[in-house]
Amino acid sequence: MSALPALQTPSVNGVFTSDAFASHLAAVGHLPAWWLDLKRAAWDRFGALPLPGRTDELWRFSTVAGIKLNRCTLAETPDAGFPIPPAVFPCAATLAFLNNRALAGEALSPELGKQGVIFCPIEEAVVHHAELFQSHFMAQAVNLGSEKFAALNAALTRGGAFLYVPRGVEIETPFVVHHVAAGDGAAVFPHTLAILEDTAKATLVENFLSTDPAGAGFAAGVNDLFAGPGAQLTYVGVQNWSRDTLAFQLNSTVVQRDARVLSLNVHLGGRQARHESHSRLQGPGAFSEMLALTVAQGEQEFDQRTLQSHQAPNTGSNLLYKNALLDRARTIFSGLIIVDPEAQKTDAYQSNRNLLLSDEAESNALPGLEIQANDVRCTHGATSGHVDAEQMFYLESRGIAPSAARELLVFGFFEEVLAKLENEALRSVLRESIKANLKT
Amino acid sequence: MSQLIIQDLKVSIGDKPVVKGLSLTVNQGEVHAIMGPNGTGKSTLAKAIAGHPDYAITGGDVLLDGQSVLAMQPDERARAGLFLAFQYPSEVPGVTIANFVRAALQARLGESADLDATSYYKKLYEKMDLLKIDRKFTSRAVNEGFSGGEKKRCEILQMAMLEPKFSMMDETDSGLDIDALRIVADGVNKLRTGQLGIVLITHYQRLLNYIVPDFVHVMYDGRIVRSGNKDLAVELEARGYAWVKKELAAASA
């Protein structure tokens, strides 16, 4: 018997009222009944779960007072005039979503289609690939604190990509997804599901951006990655929401026997951005590389929570999160490595490095280990330090102005992470995004 | 003709006076060696002129082509034509030599103009060949994991690329074996085309066998106490710094 959900004042859920949900359901009423049932169940979960509280251990150091659900709207009228960002490197295919609705993208080539590759908006997937989609949709529990926002995403999502790569198919060029929030106060619910079957290989790149870089916004995104036995998946997410967006992005990664997943999340935008990432190493030989780069400036707060779950022997994971902090920005990193009793010979690393470019910036780190096997190698660590004064003088003594010198040092600091990406074109796009952001 | 004039310069570290009224004029194309025992203020002089924030200038002036540089920030002094070859150059992880030198040259062009990549790499490779530096070094992070000799050659490479009016070379010979010393000295000699003025700071006469100076100055207790030509360095090597100390003591007695 479960307890009754606590009574809540209507204002807690802000604009996410039952009327709002009813009109959402009406808008997607043409979709299969199982999908609508799933949404209703998710909506109930959202309603029953409380907002994070000040004493909630999973939200330690977070500015929970900043989590308000009334500063956005559920307007779903896309601004059709928004141009899809042009491709700056060769892509396998592109999808774009504007305020949760699919825009025309660059279609999959007939050759890839013939090989059984699927890359389509989720609303197409629920109709045409129901079995495949349904069996994987939110199959992994979100359990790092944002369950309420994961439920909200499931209840309201319309925008996002479904990627399926069948056994043995290897694709070198990236699949690209743009999630665009348009207009002041837009609420968006990006959802991504990627399934790579045995020995498949693919790269997925997601861009999250707002048309108005200063407008208010709300984003609750979910991202599920499945790498089947021997599969190789590279995932890159670039979060560049408006500077007044409250953002949640909840990633789950499943890595099966001998599979390899590299995920790199670049965090640039948002006012308060929470990112949760849980890698589950489920088969021997599975390896997960978890990377993040953050430029925190102004009053921005970036809150990152990670879990490396080693559930099988001989699995590896390597987490490297690097934050550059300017102005009065804050970062929070809380990471845990859990090694199950049967996961002998686990090799797990976790490292959070903070480069402080301002005396008023604040980085918080909570690294953790929970090891139940006896033959493992696990290390974790967090460092935080200011730019080295001798290094600065060295750069300045060459004629480089202090601002440009700091920028060079930030890029130098980030390079260790960027260098792990094989695709040079992608690396250079990321460098440009970071550079553009540092100048604004 | 360019000229660097150091006028009665006084430098303190914290409350401690280190350079105590030093004057020196360096003309374009000249090489001046400053020799002296450890702790006599040679490195402090070089870093203070470059604008290091830990060194306070408490008196005197430094004029580059008649303009005082003391009010300028370190990067402004560098763009005005001063260069410091560091005794212990910093490592800059993640920043390649190519990008580093490029940023330094771009800083001289300003925001409006972009450095031409083709001619930049042409020049970089030319200078690397001149200094016998493997071209693979362009993609290595500045000084990271470099040997002592590689660090010093990297300093000379930067000097060659940035083409300063005056370069202060701080203990460029320290930590080098004889082969590395010869390569570094050859590199410096190739840059002695009459355009560049050099202040060569060294503890040992050995370097001056390879980079033959026009003038030699002996620095002791924050001042230049003797000046002469290259023969002074030879004499100093033969008789040791104790000789200078003894002479000074005799003079002041």
Side-chain angles (χ1 to χ4, degrees), chain A residues 234 236 262 264 417-424 426-427 430:
Chain A
T234 301
V236 176
L262 180 151
L264 166 58
V417 169
L418 288 172
K420 290 180 188 274
L421 273 184
E422 275 176 33
N423 188 325
E424 167 54 31
L426 200 48
R427 281 204 300 265
L430 294 179

Side-chain angles (χ1 to χ4, degrees), chain A residues 71 183-185 210-217 241-245:
Chain A
R71 295 187 65 238
D184 196 29
S210 308
T211 54
D212 174 5
W241 297 126
S242 78
R243 288 289 172 85
D244 192 14
T245 293

Side-chain angles (χ1 to χ4, degrees), chain B residues 21-97:
Chain B
L22 183 143
S23 297
L24 178 67
T25 297
V26 183
N27 292 310
Q28 188 175 0
E30 293 175 352
V31 175
H32 291 246
I34 295 183
M35 301 183 70
N38 288 328
T40 202
K42 304 187 299 294
S43 288
T44 300
L45 173 72
K47 285 188 183 173
I49 292 172
H52 193 291
D54 289 353
Y55 301 85
I57 291 178
T58 54
D61 209 345
V62 177
L63 306 170
L64 175 60
D65 295 336
Q67 294 281 325
S68 174
V69 303
L70 296 188
M72 297 181 186
Q73 295 302 308
D75 58 310
E76 295 169 327
R77 296 185 194 193
R79 293 196 299 272
L82 293 180
F83 184 88
L84 173 61
F86 284 67
Q87 182 179 4
Y88 304 110
S90 287
E91 297 186 2
V92 192
V95 179
T96 64
I97 292 179

Side-chain angles (χ1 to χ4, degrees), chain A residues 388-402 408-409 411-413 415-416 439, chain B residues 51-52 74-75 78-79 83-84 86 90-95 100 103-104 107-108 143 155 158:
Chain A
D388 181 64
E390 286 302 319
Q391 242 177 19
M392 273 299 280
F393 177 65
Y394 187 61
L395 270 68
E396 290 173 34
S397 78
R398 298 308 182 237
I400 302 168
L408 260 187
L409 291 177
F411 276 97
F413 175 67
E415 195 53 38
E416 183 188 358
K439 290 209 195 307
Chain B
H52 193 291
D75 58 310
R79 293 196 299 272
F83 184 88
L84 173 61
F86 284 67
S90 287
E91 297 186 2
V92 192
V95 179
F100 181 64
R108 285 155 174 81
N143 296 323
E155 293 294 289
Q158 294 171 45

Side-chain angles (χ1 to χ4, degrees), chain A residues 302-349:
Chain A
F302 291 94
D303 180 8
Q304 300 166 335
R305 312 278 161 160
T306 66
L307 179 53
Q308 294 150 269
S309 291
H310 288 261
Q311 301 168 351
N314 290 298
T315 49
S317 64
N318 183 27
L319 179 147
L320 179 57
Y321 276 31
K322 286 194 159 191
N323 301 324
L325 294 93
L326 300 90
D327 309 322
R328 282 176 305 281
R330 296 182 79 224
T331 60
I332 300 137
F333 170 80
S334 172
L336 185 61
I337 300 173
I338 295 183
V339 181
D340 287 357
E342 61 273 28
Q344 298 293 359
K345 304 279 181 198
T346 282
D347 206 340
Y349 295 88

